Amino acid sequence: MKVGFISSEVYPFTKTGGLADVSGALGKYLGENGVDIRVITPLYAQSNVRSADFHPVDFLQGLSVSFNHRKLYYSVYTAILPGSSTPVYFIDCPELYHRDSIYTNHEDEYLRFAFLNRVSIEIFQYMNWAPDIIHCNDWQSALIPLYLKTLYKWDKLFKNTRTLLTLHNVGYHGNFPLHVVHELGLTDFMPLLDDFDTRQGRFNFLKTGVIYADMLSTVSKTYAREIQTPEYGHGMEAMLAYRSQRLVGIVNGVDYTEWNPETDREICKNYGLKTLNLKAENKACLLNELKMPYHFQQPLIGMVSRLVEQKGVDLIAEVMEGLLEDFSFQLIVLGSGEERYERYFYGLQARNPERVFFYSGYNNTLAHRIEAGADIFLMPSKYEPCGLNQIYSLKYGTIPVVRKTGGLADTVKAYDWQTQQGTGFVFEHYNAAGLRWALEHALNTYAHPEAWMKIRIQAMKEDFSWDRQVREYLSLYQKLLKMD
Ligand code: ADP
Ligand code: GLC
């Protein structure tokens, strides 16, 4: 089976969030399971491609593609995805991809990613490689299904190619003014675009993918249901409900070669189920590194997150001050995102210097150390398609406090004080009282070492390895190939 996998970020080359982890892992695990998979992604100024085998593809140099009257030049480089034999192809176009960040608010953002869509198709043409499936991810590659049905319809190479669009986050649409349609070369196909959007003078990349992909998937079963409702559909619920027969939920896996306390090279002291006592050394180490006092019995709450509304920072802001007054604990937050949230955490740290630490920015090593060192992991998302950090936390015995939504609902089992079963603390409604209740429940349970140990063990025994999850993708691919 030949699969072209298109993604705007692929770990370990580029990463802003979970899409990168999932793209890297799927590239690797699908390859290991016999799929001839070729991954295509942009070469950003930020891409980490220092690996020894990174080199130009000789027959893919100095090429161009025209958008309306604009001709854009590119070359293609390749490298093997570490730990696999899967090739990754990087599209080098400095004019589009050498910017201050991977994603921008620049006026030509639509072009940066429409380019990824068209060049991916053209790379397959130059390779004379007919993919059975093109697997697209999020809005940045959601135009491929439409392009295959329009601009590239003439090419017999794609006669049997099916498309799958995975929705990692329906909150990000790639929504642009309608005039971009001309620049994207789609003027003649205007009637194929969503009528509602065109009347509003808009063009929506993700919705276009939702309409034209042969199959849709998202990253948890609960989120697959949620996005068909107004609360979670971000205006796309009707279209998603209409296509529900073609929409499946597959919960993300974890690459345990990266996220496993027994082998993690980023943390101070490796530990596992049988050596759980060593976890405390990671806490001491982390607090010491951040110049915070270490109190053996005081719980440490950790958070690693993009700081955006989705992640529930507003709720944290409502409850944290009061909680700090009523309970003794420390809090370490690693994240970057909206300025208002960064300002909030800086303020909280300034008011509680020995108890709160905020690290603004992206730091992979610190993310691992927080997973290993913290006792409780905070993730009170407003919505969460899947979420990876709560699953990493389970493996590190760092008990998640989450809201019952999307992938959080599918991966964390609510702790029941009576039966002592469960792997985390789960609240249902998105409000401050819910979060306060869950955090109180977690902090009170932490004070009972035996109960806490039991939850830790239950959490660490959970298995979300890709070996298992990848089988769901394989059967989805099989189903897609058999579809009319
Ligand atoms: P999302 O993709 O919505 O950001 P996920 O939980 O699926 O959420 O994935 C987030 C990934 O990004 C995790 O691997 C997490 O460790 C990582 N991450 C998020 N913020 C940071 C940061 N500031 N520094 C390092 N890693 C981060
Ligand atoms: C998105 C979602 C997150 C998910 C990730 C990978 O960024 O916000 O919940 O885990 O994609 O699928």
Side-chain angles (χ1 to χ4, degrees), residues 286-300:
L286 174 65
L287 289 166
N288 187 36
E289 184 185 337
L290 302 180
K291 304 198 169 35
M292 290 174 81
Y294 171 57
H295 309 287
F296 178 66
Q297 276 167 337
Q298 218 178 77
L300 173 63

Side-chain angles (χ1 to χ4, degrees), residues 94-395:
E95 194 181 340
L96 294 181
Y97 298 133
H98 286 201
R99 303 281 166 94
D100 289 344
S101 52
I102 289 177
Y103 305 119
T104 75
N105 292 323
H106 299 170
E107 250 182 33
D108 63 350
E109 189 73 351
Y110 70 92
L111 189 59
R112 299 180 70 226
F113 293 104
F115 185 77
L116 168 65
N117 290 250
R118 285 195 53 195
V119 170
S120 296
I121 295 174
E122 298 201 5
I123 288 176
F124 298 139
Q125 291 177 316
Y126 285 116
M127 290 173 167
N128 196 24
W129 190 74
D132 296 305
I133 292 168
I134 300 186
H135 187 159
C136 311
N137 294 278
D138 278 349
W139 75 264
Q140 292 89 351
S141 50
L143 290 190
I144 287 179
L146 180 64
Y147 272 136
L148 287 181
K149 288 179 165 60
T150 55
L151 288 193
Y152 297 91
K153 194 175 165 48
W154 59 271
D155 194 344
K156 302 259 182 316
L157 189 71
F158 302 114
K159 195 169 55 136
N160 296 317
T161 299
R162 305 286 160 83
T163 52
L164 167 66
L165 171 62
T166 296
L167 308 164
H168 295 265
N169 196 328
V170 176
Y172 296 84
H173 290 183
N175 199 346
F176 300 100
L178 193 61
H179 69 79
V180 309
V181 169
H182 302 295
E183 282 138 80
L184 300 183
L186 292 169
T187 315
D188 294 347
F189 307 104
M190 205 65 117
L192 296 181
L193 307 183
D194 183 68
D195 208 29
F196 177 78
D197 285 344
T198 31
R199 273 187 277 121
Q200 310 266 322
R202 313 291 306 171
F203 175 65
N204 182 322
F205 276 50
L206 192 68
K207 198 192 271 180
T208 306
V210 167
I211 297 170
Y212 288 107
D214 294 313
M215 192 79 177
L216 302 168
S217 76
T218 185
V219 287
S220 68
K221 295 205 186 327
T222 297
Y223 193 61
R225 283 194 305 275
E226 286 175 340
I227 53 178
Q228 299 177 46
T229 67
E231 193 184 346
Y232 294 97
H234 296 272
M236 254 187 276
E237 57 275 8
M239 188 54 73
L240 288 160
Y242 178 71
R243 298 220 65 204
S244 62
Q245 296 301 314
R246 298 270 172 130
L247 169 64
V248 300
I250 302 178
V251 83
N252 287 330
V254 171
D255 188 346
Y256 289 124
T257 61
E258 292 283 338
W259 294 94
N260 180 349
E262 285 180 273
T263 51
D264 193 330
R265 283 186 303 268
E266 306 281 4
I267 65 178
C268 283
K269 190 83 190 171
N270 289 117
Y271 63 96
L273 263 175
K274 294 201 181 95
T275 48
L276 240 176
N277 57 322
L278 299 177
K279 182 169 166 57
E281 288 189 35
N282 288 290
K283 180 163 153 183
C285 207
L286 174 65
L287 289 166
N288 187 36
E289 184 185 337
L290 302 180
K291 304 198 169 35
M292 290 174 81
Y294 171 57
H295 309 287
F296 178 66
Q297 276 167 337
Q298 218 178 77
L300 173 63
I301 302 179
M303 178 169 178
V304 179
S305 185
R306 291 183 296 115
L307 298 178
V308 294
E309 199 189 338
Q310 172 194 347
K311 300 294 179 179
V313 191
D314 295 304
L315 288 194
I316 297 174
E318 279 187 66
V319 308
M320 200 45 82
E321 211 90 48
L323 214 64
L324 282 161
E325 267 172 36
D326 300 343
F327 290 83
S328 72
F329 66 91
Q330 289 166 300
L331 171 70
I332 295 178
V333 176
L334 162 64
S336 67
E338 290 179 32
E339 206 193 314
R340 58 182 170 145
Y341 295 136
E342 297 206 3
R343 230 182 301 122
Y344 162 71
F345 282 119
Y346 276 129
L348 193 68
Q349 170 175 257
R351 292 188 295 280
N352 306 276
E354 304 223 314
R355 299 182 63 195
V356 176
F357 186 92
F358 173 51
Y359 182 106
S360 156
Y362 178 86
N363 185 329
N364 188 46
T365 301
L366 186 56
H368 283 255
R369 292 186 178 170
I370 291 175
E371 286 293 1
D375 299 296
I376 294 169
F377 193 87
L378 182 57
M379 203 162 165
S381 306
K382 191 170 194 180
Y383 75 91
E384 196 61 73
C386 179
L388 293 170
N389 271 116
Q390 84 283 7
I391 319 183
Y392 302 155
S393 300
L394 294 173
K395 186 50 86 196

Side-chain angles (χ1 to χ4, degrees), residues 14-28:
T14 36
K15 173 164 165 178
T16 69
L19 171 63
D21 299 65
V22 173
S23 301
L26 274 178
K28 176 164 142 188

